[in-house]
């Protein structure tokens, strides 16, 4: 079934494992179906849009963790039946972790890479939750267990390092002081290869200490993510366990590194239609993953014998640090995690392809010897030779000779060099130990305070970073904000956080919160302007998106389940306060419409991003406002069926009143670019400088992510039902033009006029009692658009205009009225004639059950008009639009229509 752990000692190829996780709540609510199947080490994925399109892959290990499990009395997830196919945390460790541990104990570098889209189960496999420990804690437990069992044969030292790579910058997660601008430097040495200069190494004596260090590192990571306006799914985390073994009997020192790498989420950027706006190719957030893919592809080509001139290790920080893991001195395992849901098909297929390429890489691992230890060993060996030589010279009576003096000087220099190396090592070790003692004291103090005071607990989009930061509210008044110098202040950082943002008061075991004027404070989804008393498990949002859960005094905590208050809960509550919620399930079903659910989750996902974009626009003085809207929320097609709903972002320039409508993908891509501009701007500002009064950041228009060429916008639509035409009865209507969310945008006066072939209106004698009488006969009618009244689009800014667009039956291209500008009640006076030379049953059905959808388009200064394309339009020789081309006589007229249209293109 699976490869044995011992195989890892004899082969240096990268071992690849794939793990399929259970559905999460979002996928279950959406009614997702499983598209992945697994047999032994072979895994297959089916395209949800094509049941015949199935791709299969084979890996070294494959784990089915999707179904067939239960939770025992200790909280462990185990197979429902003994010998069941469910792969629990322990079975994954036995296959992957044991081999990594044994490699390390033998003196080989070992690397474990976790790859997959955000939310696919990387963190669960690597770290785990509660009693279900992941690979990292299990590996640490077994490592120190092995050290204790072999104390007689060797002396062992374990050093722990933890770093993060975000935006091509390296952050030491164990360093608590002020950070170097641009992060730590990555350097290169002939023997060591690439390494991080100044990375802190903490000596560890047991697995508990490693766990506490990981907790401290995660805390630092959370704080950094808040300051950088990021989340951990956009950064890579590296845990490095350095094992140094001294075999005194054999006088051998072995040193090996265990690299545990949690790679950034591998989401794909989507684009559709004319939307060519991608996340900038060189954006550093995705650069490292792209480069890693290029390195893996190049190494895979090398493994199969292809000639590869260049392997791009140097193109990103991540690939520099993983050079030995991927193509050098390391035994490496990759675990790729997958969602089995049909809605994640593209991401899962991409992950499988990525993992398949990695499987072909070959490494050349050798037992390591520390460069420093090697140098000391060489110096000591040289000194031994010098001492022997001096001894012989003393016996020969040549003590005062020049050669003797030279040898003694060389001996002294070597001794000084050895002492300097050892002193520097001990000095660095003492500094690291001192720093860890302070951190450990801080952790111990925090645990005591949790049993004494109420506090606010951070909630992060990444569950791994939630619940890490605890800010205690002791008795008295405590200001919270950017201020960190005041004696009674709680310092937080983030977008929209003021110098003094709000005030907590803890008095007589009651805690109140008072917002400072001008600051944004939200409690349980509602904006707060005055003092409010906080209750246990209240939800706080400070600034744009600093989310915290209030935890009351220990006596108030009881046995309530806190886990339900995750990041999605906060955003759902905020959306509900704005009137956006899932609503009641369909009648007769306990399940919400999956399409509505997908839109709802997109909405709550984008809410904090829109808040952050607005804050960045404000601080950069861009005068651009972003607002979330649900596209087609209240709109329907020509038969009255609901249109597919999606999330769009309405972007408005306060100065020019210009408006853009961005898709979800375009907004996310642009927001990354905004962050680059914002981070650069903040880096140039001195600490504690308020930016509201600063001039706007000026960029070239083609490089400014806030700017775009303006285009016509779809403002809304109205339905003109065609049933009267089946009876040849004229119709005159005043139609309400509704916007995407159901708001009235204008009133449109329109007519349907049955007529003769030359455009004369029919009389009462031409009315049909039975619509079927028109079958096989010619049918002519005119669509008349008289006037549009009370256009809100033009009320907002008089320099705007409108056009009306529509299609009738089988018209291949939409037709548009001429543009009308600067008038709230524009006169359209537009008339178009359509004809069917031999009316078919399908056209008759269309007339009896459908409507012409009249779309109201908004024009603004600088945008081009909507033009009717007449190239594919079918017309009679008289210039009348032909619909319902089904009979032979109609087909015979098409050649003439093309000629007519070419001779008189301006008739319309």
């Amino acid at each position: 079934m699976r490869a044995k752990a011992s195989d890892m000692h004899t082969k240096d190829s990268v071992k690849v494992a794939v793990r399929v996780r259970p559905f999460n709540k979002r996928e279950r609510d959406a009614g997702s179906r499983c598209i992945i199947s697994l047999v032994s080490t072979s895994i297959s994925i089916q395209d949800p849009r094509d049941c015949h399109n199935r791709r299969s892959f084979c890996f070294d290990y494959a784990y089915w963790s999707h179904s067939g499990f239960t939770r025992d009395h200790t909280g462990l997830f185990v197979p429902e039946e003994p010998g069941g196919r469910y792969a629990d945390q322990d079975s994954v460790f036995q296959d992957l972790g044991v081999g990594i541990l044994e490699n390390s104990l033998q003196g080989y570098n070992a690397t474990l890479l976790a790859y997959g889209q955000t939310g696919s189960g990387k963190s669960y496999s690597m770290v785990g939750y509660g009693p279900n420990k992941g690979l990292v804690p299990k590996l640490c437990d077994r490592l120190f267990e092995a050290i204790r069992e072999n104390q007689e044969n060797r002396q062992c030292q374990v050093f722990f390092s933890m770093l993060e790579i975000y935006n091509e910058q390296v952050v030491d997660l164990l360093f608590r002081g002020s950070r170097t601008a641009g992060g730590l430097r990555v350097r290169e040495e002939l023997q060591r290869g690439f390494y991080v200069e100044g990375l802190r190494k903490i000596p560890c004596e047991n697995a508990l200490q490693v766990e506490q260090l990981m907790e401290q590192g995660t805390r630092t990571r959370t704080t950094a993510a808040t300051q950088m306006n990021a989340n951990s799914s956009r950064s890579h985390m590296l845990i490095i366990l350095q094992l140094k073994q001294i075999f005194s009997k054999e006088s051998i020192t072995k040193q090996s590194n265990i690299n545990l790498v949690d790679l950034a989420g591998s989401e794909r950027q989507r684009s559709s239609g004319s939307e060519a706006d991608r996340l900038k190719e060189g954006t550093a957030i995705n650069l490292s993953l792209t480069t890693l893919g290029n390195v893996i592809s190049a190494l895979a080509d090398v493994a199969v014998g292809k000639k590869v001139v260049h392997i791009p290790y140097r193109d990103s920080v991540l690939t520099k640090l993983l050079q030995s893991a991927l193509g050098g001195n390391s035994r490496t395992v990759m675990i790729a995690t997958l969602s089995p849901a049909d809605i994640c098909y593209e991401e899962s297929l991409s992950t499988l392809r990525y993992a398949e390429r990695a499987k072909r890489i070959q490494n050349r691992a050798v037992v390591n010897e520390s460069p420093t230890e090697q140098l000391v060993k060489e110096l000591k060996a040289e000194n031994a030779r010098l001492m022997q030589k001096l001894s012989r010279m003393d016996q020969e009576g040549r003590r005062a000779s020049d050669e003797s003096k030279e040898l003694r000087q060389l001996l002294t220099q070597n001794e000084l060099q050895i002492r300097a190396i050892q002193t520097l090592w001990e000095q660095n070790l003492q500094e690291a130990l001192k720093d860890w003692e302070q951190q450990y004291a801080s952790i111990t103090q925090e645990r005591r305070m949790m049993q004494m005071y109420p506090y606010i607990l951070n909630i992060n989009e990444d569950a791994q970073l939630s619940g890490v930061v605890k800010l205690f509210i002791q008795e008295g008044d405590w200001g919270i904000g950017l201020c960190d110098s005041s004696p009674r202040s709680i310092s937080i950082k983030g977008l929209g956080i003021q110098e003094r943002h709000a005030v907590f008061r803890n008095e007589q075991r009651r805690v109140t919160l008072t917002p400072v004027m001008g600051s944004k404070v939200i409690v349980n989804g509602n904006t707060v302007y005055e003092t409010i008393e906080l209750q246990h498990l209240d939800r706080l949002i400070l600034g744009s998106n600093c989310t915290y859960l209030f935890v009351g005094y220990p006596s108030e905590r009881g046995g309530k389940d806190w886990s339900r208050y995750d990041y999605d809960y906060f955003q759902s509550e905020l959306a509900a306060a704005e009137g956006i919620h899932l609503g009641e399930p369909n009648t007769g079903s306990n399940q919400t419409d999956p399409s509505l659910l997908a839109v709802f989750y997109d909405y709550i996902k984008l809410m904090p991003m829109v808040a952050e974009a607005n804050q960045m626009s404000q601080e950069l003085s861009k005068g651009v406002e972003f607002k979330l809207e649900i596209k087609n929320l209240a709109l329907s097609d020509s038969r009255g069926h609901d249109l597919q709903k999606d999330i769009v972002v309405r972007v408005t320039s306060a100065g020019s009143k210009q408006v853009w409508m961005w898709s979800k993908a375009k907004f996310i891509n642009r927001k990354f670019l905004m962050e680059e501009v914002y981070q650069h701007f903040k880096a140039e500002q001195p600490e504690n400088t308020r930016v509201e009064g600063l001039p706007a950041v000026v960029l070239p228009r083609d490089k400014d992510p806030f700017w775009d060429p303006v285009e016509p916008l779809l403002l809304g639509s109205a339905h003109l039902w065609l049933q009267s035409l089946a009876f040849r009865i004229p119709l005159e209507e005043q139609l309400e033009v509704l916007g995407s969310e159901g708001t009235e945008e204008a009133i449109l006066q329109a007519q349907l006029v049955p007529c003769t072939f030359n455009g004369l209106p029919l009389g009462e004698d031409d009315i049909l009692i039975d619509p079927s009488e028109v079958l096989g006969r010619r049918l002519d009618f005119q669509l008349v658009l008289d006037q549009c009244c009370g256009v809100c689009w033009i009320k907002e800014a008089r320099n705007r205009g409108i056009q009306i667009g529509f299609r009738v039956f089988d018209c291949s291209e939409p037709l548009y009225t001429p543009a009308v500008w600067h008038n709230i009640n524009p006169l359209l006076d537009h008339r178009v004639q359509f004809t069917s030379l031999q009316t078919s049953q399908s056209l008759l059905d269309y007339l009896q059950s459908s409507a012409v959808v009249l779309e109201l388009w908004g024009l603004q200064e600088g945008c081009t008009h909507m033009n009717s394309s007449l190239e594919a339009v079918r017309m009679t020789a008289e210039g009348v639009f032909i619909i319902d081309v089904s009979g032979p006589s109609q087909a015979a007229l098409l050649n003439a229509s093309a000629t007519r249209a070419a001779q008189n293109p301006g008739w319309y």
Side-chain angles (χ1 to χ4, degrees), residues 16-24 27 32-46 54-59 61-67 69 86-87 92 113-126 262 265-268 334-356:
V16 178
V18 174
R19 192 179 193 187
V20 185
R21 67 155 168 78
F23 286 144
N24 59 27
E27 291 161 351
S32 298
R33 62 185 181 88
C34 180
I35 57 169
I36 288 178
S37 58
L38 189 149
V39 178
S40 184
T41 57
S42 176
I43 190 165
S44 299
I45 182 169
Q46 179 186 307
R54 181 178 286 274
R55 294 285 306 275
S56 295
F57 303 84
C58 191
F59 298 100
Y61 312 90
Y63 302 107
W64 183 260
S65 301
H66 173 63
S67 59
F69 61 90
Y86 175 74
V92 173
L113 300 166
Y115 180 82
Q117 71 177 110
T118 304
S120 63
K122 294 198 310 293
S123 296
Y124 180 76
S125 293
M126 291 289 281
D262 189 354
S266 59
E267 283 71 30
R268 301 179 64 194
M334 173 188 281
I335 181 167
T337 53
L338 302 174
S339 162
D342 50 358
I343 57 176
C344 298
Y345 167 73
E346 290 181 352
E347 287 82 359
S348 296
L349 179 59
S350 174
T351 299
L352 287 168
R353 286 172 172 163
Y354 205 95
E356 186 180 46

Side-chain angles (χ1 to χ4, degrees), residues 135-190:
L135 284 161
V136 178
K138 281 180 175 289
L139 185 65
C140 294
D141 287 341
R142 292 288 291 273
L143 174 61
F144 286 101
E145 187 180 312
I147 289 172
R148 286 193 300 271
E149 290 173 355
N150 293 279
Q151 283 180 338
E152 295 179 2
N153 302 327
R154 59 189 130 180
Q155 291 181 318
C156 294
Q157 288 180 305
V158 177
F159 299 91
F160 180 91
S161 301
M162 191 172 179
L163 63 92
E164 180 180 40
I165 302 172
Y166 171 77
N167 210 14
E168 285 300 279
Q169 294 185 10
V170 178
V171 177
D172 186 348
L173 295 177
L174 300 182
F175 181 62
R176 303 181 70 188
S178 58
R179 292 189 180 153
T180 310
L184 298 179
R185 298 185 64 178
V186 177
R187 295 190 176 276
E188 186 179 15
E189 244 181 37
L190 184 62

Side-chain angles (χ1 to χ4, degrees), residues 455-457 459 537-539 547-551 562 565 570:
Y455 57 91
I456 56 175
L457 186 73
I459 302 297
L537 300 184
D538 275 351
R539 283 77 61 200
T547 48
Y548 295 94
L549 185 68
F550 173 72
V551 179
W562 303 2
Y565 299 112
F570 275 66

Side-chain angles (χ1 to χ4, degrees), residues 175-304:
F175 181 62
R176 303 181 70 188
S178 58
R179 292 189 180 153
T180 310
L184 298 179
R185 298 185 64 178
V186 177
R187 295 190 176 276
E188 186 179 15
E189 244 181 37
L190 184 62
Q191 287 182 311
R192 293 175 64 182
F194 291 104
Y195 68 97
V196 180
E197 184 181 45
L199 182 66
R200 188 144 298 201
K201 297 178 182 178
I202 308 291
C204 297
E205 296 178 356
N206 51 57
L208 177 61
Q209 195 173 352
V210 172
E211 185 180 329
Q212 291 168 338
L213 283 166
M214 285 180 61
E215 182 182 332
Q216 176 59 40
T218 306
R219 185 193 306 273
T220 307
R221 193 181 187 197
T222 306
T223 308
T226 305
Q227 293 176 11
M228 293 186 294
N229 184 31
N231 59 63
S232 71
S233 65
R234 288 166 52 199
S235 65
H236 312 287
M237 183 182 70
L238 278 74
I239 293 173
I240 303 169
L241 289 170
Q242 188 180 81
L243 174 62
K244 183 178 178 183
Q245 303 175 84
I246 303 169
F247 299 83
S248 52
K249 291 181 180 179
E250 299 90 347
S251 299
I252 295 174
T253 299
K254 291 181 181 179
Q255 182 171 298
S256 54
N257 287 345
I258 303 175
N259 300 302
L260 305 168
V261 189
D262 189 354
L263 295 170
S266 59
E267 283 71 30
R268 301 179 64 194
Q269 295 296 330
R270 293 184 180 87
S271 181
S272 59
S274 61
E275 182 189 302
D277 182 38
R278 291 278 210 273
L279 181 62
K280 192 172 65 175
E281 234 176 73
T283 300
I285 293 165
N286 283 342
L287 170 67
S288 52
L289 270 183
T290 304
T291 306
L292 180 59
N294 295 337
V295 167
I296 287 173
S297 294
L299 291 170
D301 289 342
V302 170
V304 296

Side-chain angles (χ1 to χ4, degrees), residues 335-378:
I335 181 167
T337 53
L338 302 174
S339 162
D342 50 358
I343 57 176
C344 298
Y345 167 73
E346 290 181 352
E347 287 82 359
S348 296
L349 179 59
S350 174
T351 299
L352 287 168
R353 286 172 172 163
Y354 205 95
E356 186 180 46
R357 291 200 304 272
K359 188 178 65 173
R360 298 196 293 266
I361 298 174
Q362 298 283 331
N363 283 348
R364 293 172 179 81
V366 295
V367 175
N368 290 296
E369 210 170 31
S370 164
T372 306
E373 291 287 332
Q374 180 69 23
L375 179 58
V376 171
K377 188 188 292 184
E378 289 172 359

